[in-house]
Each structure stands twice: as structure tokens, then as C-alpha cells.
Amino acid sequence: MVIRMSNTNDQLLKEAIDVYLSSLKYLDSFVSEPAVKYGLSFEQYLILHTIADQENVSLMDIAAERKVTRSAISRQIKVLLQHDYIYQKPAESDRRRLYLHLTPAGKDVEQKVYELTTKRFDHWISNYGEDKAREIIGFIKDFSSNEMTNFPPED
């Protein structure tokens, strides 16, 4: 026996699929475009930004903050190390704990991507208004807290 949705829900599903196909699946690349110029994903840029913003931050701190596994962050850190955007330095109190720091190139890239991202976001606010932006962010937060809680952390 096949259970069918109501006509209203069926139409909404079709509209949701259309929005996904025409817009949402491209949103990530649109958001990450400023970082791509520097060989980074948006996630890698966000790690650079965290390192720029916080003193004595470790891989484990970032994983906990993002609610992802240590290995997920480790893969991102590896790319940042290969680009010479960051370096690791042992903590004075516990030489096993490695703190992440920006290199001069990392500081430069973080600042440039921050400026491009901020400019892009300011443009969105100008186009849609602060109220609409807050409404969209509120919906996404609500959706995430209600629908995404059953998914395991990214690995």
C-alpha cells in the first residue's frame, strides 16, 4: 500500500525540490567563492578565522566548537599546513598539546577572505534587509535544531 501526501504537501515538496535544484545546491560554492581564490574551502577559511580570532586554540578546540570529529578538522588543518597558512606550536604547560597559529601568509589570506566575505554579506543585507536576513537565519536555526539532531557528527 502506497501512502500519498496531500496535494498541498505534494506541491510544497515539488517546490522544495525545484528550489534545491535551482539554488540551494549551488549556495555552498557561492558562499565559499572568496576562499577558493586562495586554494581553500569555506570550512578551511573558517578555521583560519577561528585561529585569527582566538589565542591558544587547538585542533580539539575547533572540533568541539564545530561539533565534528577530530579527524574531520585534522584533514582541514593538513591543507592549511601544506599552504603554509598555519603552524603548530606546543603549549608551554603540556608539550603534547599543540596550539595553532597563523603564518604571515595565513594572516594575509584570512584578512583578504574576511573582507571579501563581509562585503558579500553586506551586499545581501542591502538587497534583502536585516529583518529578512534574521528571519532566514532564524528559520535555518530552527530547522537545524528540530530536524538535524539525529544526524551523526561529520567525519
Side-chain angles (χ1 to χ4, degrees):
M1 178 173 127
V2 176
I3 299 174
R4 297 303 244 169
M5 284 190 263
S6 70
N7 286 343
T8 302
N9 288 350
D10 192 46
Q11 182 59 37
L12 280 173
L13 175 60
K14 287 177 184 173
E15 288 179 41
I17 290 169
D18 184 52
V19 165
Y20 172 76
L21 291 173
S22 64
S23 304
L24 289 179
K25 73 179 188 177
Y26 302 108
L27 187 59
D28 180 52
S29 56
F30 182 74
V31 167
S32 65
E33 188 265 333
V36 170
K37 292 179 182 181
Y38 300 96
L40 299 175
S41 69
F42 195 65
E43 286 292 322
Q44 290 159 351
Y45 159 70
L46 291 175
I47 292 169
L48 268 187
H49 185 69
T50 298
I51 296 167
D53 215 29
Q54 299 176 25
E55 282 190 43
N56 297 329
V57 65
S58 71
L59 183 152
M60 291 301 288
D61 297 330
I62 295 170
E65 178 183 297
R66 299 225 174 9
K67 298 175 179 74
V68 297
T69 63
R70 183 184 180 279
S71 62
I73 297 300
S74 183
R75 285 190 297 273
Q76 306 297 339
I77 296 290
K78 185 176 179 182
V79 172
L80 296 172
L81 287 165
Q82 288 170 343
H83 280 34
D84 195 33
Y85 291 155
I86 65 169
Y87 65 95
Q88 299 179 43
K89 184 177 177 184
E92 296 288 326
S93 60
D94 181 355
R95 309 272 312 150
R96 294 169 298 171
R97 185 171 172 87
L98 297 175
Y99 289 130
L100 304 168
H101 302 276
L102 297 181
T103 64
K107 287 178 187 177
D108 184 53
V109 166
E110 189 280 330
Q111 184 61 40
K112 287 177 180 173
V113 176
Y114 177 79
E115 289 170 7
L116 290 168
T117 302
T118 301
K119 187 183 225 179
R120 183 168 276 195
F121 190 72
D122 287 346
H123 181 72
W124 291 346
I125 299 299
S126 295
N127 282 344
Y128 302 104
E130 187 177 334
D131 290 343
K132 188 68 156 177
R134 289 187 185 285
E135 181 183 326
I136 291 167
I137 291 169
F139 170 78
I140 293 169
K141 284 180 176 178
D142 185 49
F143 180 85
S144 179
S145 68
N146 288 316
E147 302 297 330
M148 305 302 287
T149 55
N150 295 325
F151 288 94
E154 179 184 311
D155 185 47

